[in-house]
Amino acid sequence: MAPNDSGGPLSFIKSIYALDTIDTRFTTPSGVPYRRRQNETDGNGKREDDDVKSGLGLLERTATATSTTSNTESGIQAETLRTKWGTPEFYLYYLIVGIAVPYMFWVAYDVSRPSDPRYRRYEPWLSEGWIPGRKIDLSDFQYGHLRRNLPVMGLLLIFHPLGRQLWNFIFPIRQQQTRGNTPISGRSSPFQRSPTPTPEAADARLRQRTSYDFTFAIVFLIILHGFSAAKILFILALNYKIGTALPKKYVPATTWIFNLIVLFANELCDGYKFRSIAVVLTGGAPPPGEVPNSLVSFGTWLDSYRGLQPKWAVLFNITILRLISFNLDYYWSLDRRSGSPIEKKQLDPANLSERDRVAISAHRDDYTFTNYVAYAIYAPLYLTGPILTFNDYISQCRYKPATIETSRTIKYAIRFALVLLSMEIILHYDYVGAITKARPIWSSYTPAQISLLSFFNLHIIWLKLLVPWRLFRLWSLVDGIDPPENMIRCVSNNYSTLSFWRSWHRSYYRWLLRYIYIPLGGTSFRTSVGAARSIVTYLTVFTFVALWHDIKMRLLIWGWLIVFFFLPEIVAGYLFPRKKWESKPVQYRMLCAAGGVLNVLMMISANLVGFAVGLDGLETIIRGVLREWNGLIFILMASGILFVGIQVMFEIRSSELRKGINLKC
């Protein structure tokens, strides 16, 4: 349901922070069509507040029904049902959080002041800021590059959808499709406010959208990458041939081998410079001082126009995911023997659930090269994602998603602006990145300073990813395509190593599930053989994740550390099963929070290795923290504060469950 807009400014502000504003997938189960849930609620005359009450009532009925059969089984459910926000226990937590959080910010700010004796060491990494009296830390290349190009991105966000409107005006869809001389009117659905478009009208909308996406993609590639656009289109053509021309049984393996080769070759060959290709073709580079032949000179000239983004290979990793998605979606469509699943299940094609949009194959004639390029180089999602499967893209092109509403998109834009503002303010007051880049002498920092600088470093990484993901998803929403939201929770709002990966880069997580994890058989730790196979599955998945990010040893170590850190949580789940603690819900909650503290410390360590300081840097940080007794005391105090924070995380999730929302992370 769209957030309730009535009730004045406070209600509007509250609706901006509603989960439904970020992504309707958070409040609508993946197997339920959005319109059905929306109209069932509207049909009963309910609004969002009523839905919250109904969710609470559902939990109450569940707890009551359970208590009639087993008093012990209802303990944890009853514990979840009772709100703890106003209890003495949580008033103590509020006091601790109220002291700890400002102190954390103060520590990072204190070492970022010009009066700090180490300021001159990292000052060269700072730039002039827009807040009076403060410089800004733009030492991170990715965020600095995005920040410089924000005006261009803003213009694209405006003019790309306007270009589509012009295209639609020049190539309109007939308002009424006919078969012979008989008009075909749209059929009504009890879960829709407007008739379902006819298949002919839906096909016409698909052709109209993909033809624009294809045309814009070609122009976009040339402007962005210059003559290197030809290299990208050549790779796309080879992958398309693999997916559609090879015998069916060879498609999956060949697709994976080809795309892994491309992943490595892009890195090792530095984007295949035309001059280098010409040198290979002509038998070698000319001796120094000798005039190169015409082919080498021509290659040098082609390399001279590299577009606005010369390093296309750096950005191509995310396109590889779309190439694999197209080929495997097409491969699975060949298993459809006869008839459409939509007809067999009597589904409304204009009102499919998200699960059906992803799982139900597109029509056989939708797997064309034009649609393929339109999908792979879809401009709003080309640079950073979020990742959309080919089936989902075609479904949304054929039928307009019901989840896209102007009011929700405006609120999402406000959320993006607030995230950007938060990033800017933090970079003006906490110079975490610059301090790290300046190769600090960690022994000159206290254990608290070292720990909190590392902690905030991870938050900067989270924000620098959140900003572009929200920006490009906003562009996609404005254009009429609804991809998944990549970040569900703040990086600080995670206590489970397993659940963390459901909320961090969520569209990538779902891609991994569909194309690697499930085909490998998933995981099961019920037997020793199953446990060994599950560990191999996890290692395979995270080895690919590490190599996909970048071909570096520290990322491989990061991926393997993640798998290693999964194991304690999995083992704890078997040693302390929930059902044995049903009669002791409070003790079970405390036990889980203690385990959550260990999980948080392990996740911080792994991500510092992979994305911040590397293995050597982490070793230096740990030595710096533990070199004196006060470092150990700080770790114990920090663990206590994390324990309190995890109790708050538990209650946030319980509050969501009381509203009928289960994000599973």
Side-chain angles (χ1 to χ4, degrees), residues 424-436:
E424 288 286 304
I425 292 174
I426 288 175
L427 292 180
H428 275 84
Y429 288 96
D430 291 345
Y431 300 148
V432 176
I435 292 171
T436 306

Side-chain angles (χ1 to χ4, degrees), residues 304-362:
S304 66
Y305 180 67
R306 301 184 296 169
L308 299 177
Q309 180 61 48
K311 294 187 176 294
W312 66 271
V314 175
L315 302 170
F316 197 73
N317 287 12
I318 200 160
T319 304
I320 283 177
L321 303 182
R322 290 189 279 266
L323 303 192
I324 294 171
S325 174
F326 174 86
N327 280 13
L328 294 185
D329 281 4
Y330 176 71
Y331 167 77
W332 289 323
S333 76
L334 300 176
D335 292 332
R336 197 175 69 192
R337 296 177 181 176
S338 61
S340 168
I342 292 177
E343 296 173 356
K344 290 180 180 179
K345 298 180 181 180
Q346 296 184 334
L347 301 173
D348 180 359
N351 187 32
L352 295 176
S353 67
E354 191 210 10
R355 182 186 300 163
D356 287 333
R357 288 203 314 264
V358 172
I360 295 177
S361 299

